[in-house]
Amino acid sequence: MKLSVLDQSPILTGMSPIDAFQQTTELVQHVDLLGYHRYWVSEHHSTKSLAGSAPEILTAHLAAHTKSIRVGTGGVLLPHYSAYKVAESFRVLDTLYPGRIDLGVGRAPGGMPNVNRALNDGGAPNVEHYPQQVKELMAYLHGHDPYDMNVYATPLAETTPSIWMLGSSGTSARLAADVGASYSFAHFINGYGGTRAMSRYQDHFQPSMQQEKPQGNVSIFVVCSETEEKAEYLASSLDLAILKIEQGGNRDGFPTPDEASQYPYSIFEKERVRENRSRMVVGDPKQVKEKIEHLARAYNVNEVIVNTIVSPFEERLKSYELLAKEFELDTRSYEA
């Protein structure tokens, strides 16, 4: 089974956006050597806890600092942008790094409601146009001229970035099937209904100019440590961070486990933490492997994307390292 990484470039408590991007660079190099398959970065706007607001730029940086791992977006929020411009940006990336670029797209707002207005000149994105945008994007990426205007997305090269449609519902799954794109379910956002969505995608998939068969994966929060007790301690900071996000909090940085241990949870908040554990896998390496393999079987996929946010950063590196060892990934080595 393949393991991959989703990195939201979290800003840990006491750190700056510069630190977050330095950690993202160190992490992608780390997992490249550990044998992870792909590395996606996300798009979030107007937040003090996540640094990644321009994933296409970050993708270029990460591709330049790695050798083999696929890199891409998880994902570009397409309704805010021109499909033609996105196609050209990723044609440039794929020409620079042939066969290593993924283009994940989604239709979420990427932030609070006013973000939509800021990204759309004071208006709102036309999300109803999203299915057509995806079709236009695929056509431009594959060298076609969808409106017969003698307009092509350049540069034209031998390889083409793969479109992955990201979603957390059955609606996004059916759209991915209809347009013939790959599909990634965000289990770390919605811990329920994902297996039905993936089945819907696989059952209704229509071959396209991109691919003949369905290709899916699932992403989930993971915290792995040497012992279950330590993993639970580290995961407590993610429990608190998710809770605060749900409550509309806009704090500076992700909390530490010590902060989480001192937080006075109400009865209702404790129940929310318990519910949110459906979006997470926590434990020692053996426990985590068993849970990830069970998740992959339930989704009928052979790739799981791991999103690990823990503090300090060294424990984040260690979590991915323990996973790679437990799954016996094919490690890589490069000459300096």
Side-chain angles (χ1 to χ4, degrees):
M1 189 176 71
K2 297 174 183 176
L3 289 184
S4 297
V5 176
L6 172 63
D7 182 8
Q8 296 174 289
S9 299
I11 304 172
L12 304 180
T13 295
M15 298 291 179
S16 69
I18 293 176
D19 296 320
F21 284 143
Q22 288 176 340
Q23 290 169 355
T24 285
T25 304
E26 183 175 346
L27 180 57
V28 74
Q29 293 173 326
H30 187 60
V31 299
D32 187 14
L33 294 175
L34 289 174
Y36 282 78
H37 181 56
R38 69 178 93 241
Y39 193 102
W40 286 352
V41 289
S42 58
E43 179 176 343
H44 295 273
H45 299 283
S46 190
T47 172
K48 297 179 181 180
S49 58
L50 300 172
S53 57
E56 64 278 17
I57 295 176
L58 193 51
T59 293
H61 170 77
L62 299 180
H65 285 78
T66 51
K67 298 291 185 180
S68 296
I69 195 168
R70 296 187 67 91
V71 291
T73 56
V76 170
L77 304 180
L78 191 57
H80 297 310
Y81 313 114
S82 153
Y84 177 68
K85 178 57 179 176
V86 172
E88 290 210 315
S89 296
F90 280 80
R91 287 233 55 94
V92 169
L93 284 169
D94 196 67
T95 303
L96 289 168
Y97 307 101
R100 291 183 56 206
I101 302 298
D102 292 328
L103 171 50
V105 298
R107 61 179 175 184
M112 299 301 287
N114 282 344
V115 165
N116 280 332
R117 297 177 62 84
L119 288 170
N120 292 274
D121 294 326
N126 183 5
V127 294
E128 294 181 358
H129 185 54
Y130 179 62
Q132 183 59 32
Q133 274 191 297
V134 176
K135 295 176 183 178
E136 293 171 11
L137 180 61
M138 187 175 291
Y140 282 127
L141 285 173
H142 285 264
H144 297 289
D145 174 17
Y147 294 107
D148 296 322
M149 298 189 303
N150 197 28
V151 172
Y152 300 90
T154 55
L156 298 174
E158 294 181 0
T159 60
T160 302
S162 297
I163 296 178
W164 285 80
M165 296 193 66
L166 315 181
S168 56
S169 70
T171 301
S172 57
R174 184 56 191 263
L175 177 57
D178 290 343
V179 301
S182 297
Y183 180 62
S184 181
F185 188 86
H187 192 100
F188 75 100
I189 293 176
N190 178 13
Y192 301 99
T195 55
R196 292 193 300 273
M198 187 62 69
S199 293
R200 188 177 187 183
Y201 164 71
Q202 293 167 340
D203 291 344
H204 294 90
F205 180 84
Q206 299 296 314
S208 67
M209 64 184 77
Q210 174 172 293
Q211 61 197 71
E212 291 294 320
K213 298 179 180 179
Q215 181 179 12
N217 63 37
V218 55
S219 53
I220 188 168
F221 285 123
V222 175
V223 179
C224 182
S225 193
E226 295 90 344
T227 66
E228 181 181 8
E229 181 181 16
K230 186 175 180 181
E232 287 289 341
Y233 170 72
L234 294 172
S236 65
S237 62
L238 185 55
D239 289 331
L240 180 57
I242 294 173
L243 178 66
K244 288 303 180 183
I245 290 171
E246 289 181 336
Q247 293 174 343
N250 191 21
R251 57 168 291 136
D252 294 331
F254 278 79
T256 66
D258 285 344
E259 286 182 83
S261 68
Q262 298 171 21
Y263 182 81
Y265 289 95
S266 68
I267 295 176
F268 172 78
E269 288 174 329
K270 288 180 180 179
E271 178 61 20
R272 283 307 305 159
V273 167
R274 189 190 69 79
E275 284 290 319
N276 282 331
R277 279 302 182 96
S278 68
R279 301 154 60 181
M280 302 166 61
V281 168
V282 179
D284 63 35
K286 182 178 179 181
Q287 292 171 325
V288 170
K289 182 183 180 184
E290 289 177 352
K291 293 174 184 177
I292 287 178
E293 289 178 334
H294 179 268
L295 185 75
R297 288 193 297 270
Y299 275 85
N300 190 28
V301 297
N302 66 356
E303 179 184 6
V304 173
I305 300 183
V306 175
N307 183 1
T308 299
I309 304 177
V310 295
S311 181
F313 176 64
E314 290 73 22
E315 294 292 347
R316 195 169 171 218
L317 295 174
K318 187 67 174 178
S319 182
Y320 284 109
E321 188 176 331
L322 291 171
L323 270 184
K325 183 177 180 180
E326 190 67 23
F327 275 90
E328 299 181 336
L329 300 185
D330 293 330
T331 59
R332 308 173 179 119
S333 61
Y334 303 120
E335 295 181 1

